Amino acid sequence: MKEKKEKDKKQPEDVQDGQPEIVTEAEGSELEKAQALAEDYKRKWYAVSAEYDNYRKRNSASVSKAYADGAAEAVLKLLPVADNFGYALDSASDEKTKAGIDKVIKSFNTILNSLGVEEIAISAGAPFNEDEMEAVMSLPCEDGEQPNTVKQVLKKGYRQGEKVIRFAQVTVTGE
């Protein structure tokens, strides 16, 4: 008998006579509750993790768009300066003055290009495109002119990427 008692002492508490302890119904229901709770926490963690990842992506896109919009707004405010240099170049009579103004215009255009801003190329006789141009005046067609074509470019238009930041102001031929 002493041997059996010593054997019982050496075995783990949950194993008696080589058999695992039988889990009672109450203990089993607690285990199921704990597993269900763990599964619920796991689902919530995945949902919060996914929502945070979506927030981070939205925030990154929002910051990029705000930066691009701010740069476009700053460039838009500087474009009248470029227009004035163009008018000064057209009215300058001295070759040295024209060369100096031309250097300033080239520097300004280099800065615009570094910001991704480019001039919308429009010439007289081109068809009117309302996606890039604003018609400020309509003139009757002369001999050989097609209706709805550009007669004269009054102000240059500019775009940044695919977005037009200033529409070109033009006069167009009417019918």
Side-chain angles (χ1 to χ4, degrees):
M1 277 291 205
K2 287 185 179 182
E3 287 180 3
K4 190 174 181 185
K5 286 184 183 181
E6 285 179 15
K7 244 185 185 182
D8 288 343
K9 288 181 184 177
K10 291 180 185 176
Q11 291 183 345
E13 292 180 14
D14 61 340
V15 178
Q16 292 286 337
D17 297 327
Q19 298 293 324
E21 184 179 335
I22 298 174
V23 177
T24 63
E25 222 177 280
E27 291 172 340
S29 102
E30 285 181 29
L31 179 62
E32 289 172 3
K33 286 179 186 177
Q35 287 176 334
L37 190 60
E39 190 63 33
D40 186 47
Y41 287 146
K42 186 177 175 183
R43 275 195 308 272
K44 288 178 182 177
W45 181 80
Y46 282 136
V48 168
S49 178
E51 182 60 34
Y52 176 72
D53 192 41
N54 291 338
Y55 164 76
R56 196 172 40 81
K57 289 176 185 175
R58 280 192 313 268
N59 194 36
S60 176
S62 176
V63 167
S64 296
K65 184 181 180 323
Y67 177 79
D69 289 347
E73 187 176 328
V75 168
L76 186 60
K77 290 183 186 250
L78 292 173
L79 289 178
V81 175
D83 294 337
N84 290 336
F85 278 121
Y87 301 144
L89 183 64
D90 292 342
S91 66
S93 57
D94 182 352
E95 287 304 313
K96 288 185 177 181
T97 305
K98 283 186 178 186
I101 293 172
D102 192 45
K103 284 183 181 180
V104 172
I105 290 172
K106 285 181 181 177
S107 296
F108 191 80
N109 287 336
T110 302
I111 293 169
L112 290 180
N113 287 335
S114 72
L115 295 171
V117 177
E118 60 186 26
E119 183 182 323
I120 299 172
I122 301 170
S123 60
F128 177 73
N129 180 358
E130 64 185 23
D131 294 334
E132 298 175 336
M133 304 172 203
E134 176 184 3
V136 293
M137 190 172 17
S138 178
L139 300 172
C141 290
E142 294 180 4
D143 293 335
E145 289 182 331
Q146 297 291 325
N148 209 22
T149 59
V150 175
K151 183 123 175 142
Q152 182 182 10
V153 178
L154 302 174
K155 276 190 179 177
K156 296 176 182 179
Y158 294 89
R159 77 168 49 135
Q160 188 176 32
E162 295 297 316
K163 181 182 177 186
V164 175
I165 59 175
R166 185 173 86 176
F167 290 89
Q169 293 182 352
V170 298
T171 59
V172 294
T173 57
E175 294 184 30

